[in-house]
Amino acid sequence: MKLFFGEIYDDHAILNEEESHHFAKVLRGQEGDVVHVTDGKGKLAKVEINSISKKVVEGSIIELKTDFEKKNYYLHVAIAPTKTMERLEFFLEKATEIGIDEITFLQTFHSERKNIKIERIEKIIQAATKQSLKAYLPKVNDLTKFNDFIKQDFENFTKCIAHCEDDIVKTPLKSILENEPNKILILIGPEGDFSRDEILNAEKENYKGISLGQQRFRTETAALQAVFAIDWELKS
Amino acid sequence: MKLFFGEIYDDHAILNEEESHHFAKVLRGQEGDVVHVTDGKGKLAKVEINSISKKVVEGSIIELKTDFEKKNYYLHVAIAPTKTMERLEFFLEKATEIGIDEITFLQTFHSERKNIKIERIEKIIQAATKQSLKAYLPKVNDLTKFNDFIKQDFENFTKCIAHCEDDIVKTPLKSILENEPNKILILIGPEGDFSRDEILNAEKENYKGISLGQQRFRTETAALQAVFAIDWELKS
């Protein structure tokens, strides 16, 4: 059954404008059709469509689930965008499918990419959320300068920076996960890694340097590894 | 430093014909250049190029490593190709980067894709091997009918079939990995999963039904999850 984004009220739901258009014009949906609607914040409703107008598709809620498949942890990944957007996009799609709550794009010293199309990225994440029938839509934050980002307050988060600098002590991600953190923030660097200064600055802000394993991975592979490992170790 | 495929002898190495062309014509390499050469079977040599002819680039070995970064397990993934080749190709690239030894493509009851371009796939795997500086080139086997494949003899392999059939008992992959198998074969099904008959036939051939977690993943995500999890749990 198809999933649409919309507003969920007590006994009825309204598809967002774009989703209403998609339902009515692209999919040629009919009154009486039964679909899934999510607010992207944990509610998943089974809805029978009652009325279809040009801009609003509305229906009655048959069944409502709240906190649908809520994870037992919150994962925020802040990542330097890869040179090739395709690689970043694949990561975003997979991360959404596996489970991620918030994504920030980092502008770092070694970043080659200085801009991203945030609307395109939001579309990819929405599509992945719908495709994998999830009721939580990951939050997306625009490109932020590294040094500004690390100064932000992330209360109660276990804050980690993944890097490959050999002479700065790192903790294996495995050890971090043994403490079963329930709010995790992981920074993933660009091709060419974070600069030494960036790593040291992050440490001053209580980020722990971590290693993801013995291998040096590409940016998007390292990020995927982290998302998979956290799901693997923490999901109850 | 760039990596090339070639033949490695006692004190010298010869780049493959295609690689020789790439070195000489595309990269415009020169005598005196120092490059890495691998035989794809564990040998990695640092080589100083001595002679460049139209079809053969040859050099002296400065340093030779054998069993370079050899993993402590052998992983064979047999996978039903995804409808969209792009998704399969991304999996192959990532799996090569993380660590996989052998790949077979399965023709299953629910497979929508009935053919694959094995040469293109080999190119992708070669490129990923070079890019991630690995000395083992994963072996690629062409499309094989499911029922023929499971009858093949895989001596000493822990054989698993990942599926989502609710009323057939499955073991979590995590439990399988606790026994630290050193030869693992995992079957990954198509969109629409393996058929019930396929699962039962595999069980008759001593395959264990496994689950990769609570989530239902896309084909390529399930396969990636397995490759990541095995690396995560087994790599010493």
Side-chain angles (χ1 to χ4, degrees), chain A residues 42-81:
Chain A
K43 282 187 186 162
L44 182 74
K46 195 185 269 190
V47 171
E48 183 179 342
I49 300 301
N50 294 329
S51 72
I52 302 174
S53 75
K54 220 174 174 182
K55 292 198 169 174
V56 182
V57 169
E58 182 270 344
S60 314
I61 292 176
I62 302 170
E63 196 188 326
L64 177 65
K65 289 174 182 162
T66 53
D67 299 333
F68 179 71
E69 292 185 357
K70 192 177 165 67
K71 298 198 301 345
N72 54 334
Y73 61 86
Y74 188 98
L75 173 59
H76 183 169
V77 172
I79 182 170

Side-chain angles (χ1 to χ4, degrees), chain B:
Chain B
M1 198 185 304
K2 290 249 175 231
L3 177 65
F4 297 87
F5 289 107
E7 295 296 323
I8 293 177
Y9 301 95
D10 281 351
D11 59 355
H12 71 289
I14 293 175
L15 272 56
N16 291 349
E17 187 173 333
E18 207 173 320
E19 296 284 74
S20 291
H21 174 86
H22 188 68
F23 176 84
K25 299 293 170 192
V26 182
L27 301 173
R28 298 186 177 279
Q30 303 291 324
E31 287 173 15
D33 285 357
V34 176
V35 299
H36 279 127
V37 181
T38 180
D39 61 355
K41 294 168 190 162
K43 283 188 186 160
L44 183 74
K46 195 185 269 188
V47 171
E48 184 179 340
I49 300 302
N50 294 330
S51 72
I52 302 173
S53 74
K54 219 174 174 182
K55 293 199 167 173
V56 183
V57 169
E58 183 269 343
S60 316
I61 293 175
I62 302 169
E63 196 188 324
L64 176 66
K65 289 174 182 162
T66 53
D67 299 332
F68 180 70
E69 292 185 358
K70 190 177 165 71
K71 300 200 298 348
N72 53 333
Y73 61 84
Y74 188 98
L75 173 59
H76 182 171
V77 172
I79 183 171
T82 50
K83 230 179 346 179
T84 320
M85 273 309 283
E86 208 189 352
R87 298 184 171 281
L88 182 67
E89 292 177 6
F90 198 91
F91 161 70
L92 295 170
E93 186 191 292
K94 291 293 146 239
T96 303
E97 194 180 343
I98 304 154
I100 191 169
D101 302 279
E102 189 166 351
I103 298 151
T104 301
F105 299 100
L106 291 178
Q107 198 180 321
T108 67
F109 187 74
H110 288 137
S111 290
E112 291 200 39
R113 175 172 290 279
K114 309 284 185 204
N115 56 68
I116 47 164
K117 288 180 181 150
I118 203 81
E119 279 183 15
R120 181 174 161 84
I121 283 166
E122 280 173 342
K123 281 226 166 87
I124 287 165
I125 288 175
Q126 282 165 18
T129 302
K130 288 167 70 166
Q131 205 280 334
S132 54
L133 200 72
K134 296 211 179 281
Y136 289 92
L137 180 68
K139 189 180 172 201
V140 178
N141 305 313
D142 209 341
L143 207 59
T144 308
K145 284 184 185 154
F146 180 88
N147 286 319
D148 294 342
F149 182 80
I150 57 169
K151 290 211 163 62
Q152 288 178 28
D153 183 31
F154 291 103
E155 217 186 336
N156 301 324
F157 271 81
T158 298
K159 301 189 291 183
C160 306
I161 177 167
H163 67 82
C164 302
E165 188 76 45
D166 282 329
D167 58 347
I168 300 181
V169 179
K170 294 182 286 289
T171 309
L173 176 58
K174 239 178 205 173
S175 317
I176 303 274
L177 297 179
E178 276 166 12
N179 296 322
E180 300 189 8
N182 54 25
K183 286 180 163 190
I184 314 161
L185 166 59
I186 296 195
L187 314 187
I188 304 282
E191 290 95 341
D193 208 356
F194 290 115
S195 73
R196 207 183 150 79
D197 276 355
E198 284 171 336
I199 299 166
L200 296 175
N201 286 343
E203 289 191 345
K204 275 182 213 151
E205 303 291 340
N206 297 314
Y207 282 79
K208 276 182 207 163
I210 60 162
S211 64
L212 297 170
Q214 278 95 334
Q215 303 198 56
R216 288 186 177 222
F217 284 142
R218 278 174 178 273
T219 293
E220 78 281 5
T221 315
L224 259 184
Q225 160 87 311
V227 175
F228 265 120
I230 289 166
D231 172 74
W232 183 257
E233 295 287 349
L234 297 188
K235 190 163 286 166
S236 58

Side-chain angles (χ1 to χ4, degrees), chain A residues 17-50:
Chain A
E17 188 174 331
E18 206 173 320
E19 295 285 76
S20 291
H21 174 84
H22 188 69
F23 176 85
K25 298 293 170 193
V26 182
L27 301 173
R28 300 187 177 276
Q30 303 292 325
E31 289 174 14
D33 285 358
V34 177
V35 300
H36 279 127
V37 181
T38 180
D39 62 355
K41 295 166 190 161
K43 282 187 186 162
L44 182 74
K46 195 185 269 190
V47 171
E48 183 179 342
I49 300 301
N50 294 329

Side-chain angles (χ1 to χ4, degrees), chain A residues 162-215:
Chain A
H163 67 82
C164 304
E165 188 76 46
D166 282 329
D167 57 347
I168 300 181
V169 178
K170 294 181 286 288
T171 310
L173 177 57
K174 238 179 204 168
S175 316
I176 304 273
L177 297 178
E178 276 166 12
N179 297 321
E180 300 189 8
N182 54 25
K183 287 179 162 192
I184 314 161
L185 168 57
I186 296 195
L187 313 187
I188 304 282
E191 288 96 340
D193 208 356
F194 290 115
S195 73
R196 206 183 153 80
D197 277 355
E198 285 171 334
I199 299 166
L200 297 174
N201 286 342
E203 289 191 346
K204 275 182 210 148
E205 303 291 340
N206 297 315
Y207 282 78
K208 275 182 207 163
I210 61 162
S211 64
L212 298 169
Q214 279 96 330
Q215 304 199 55

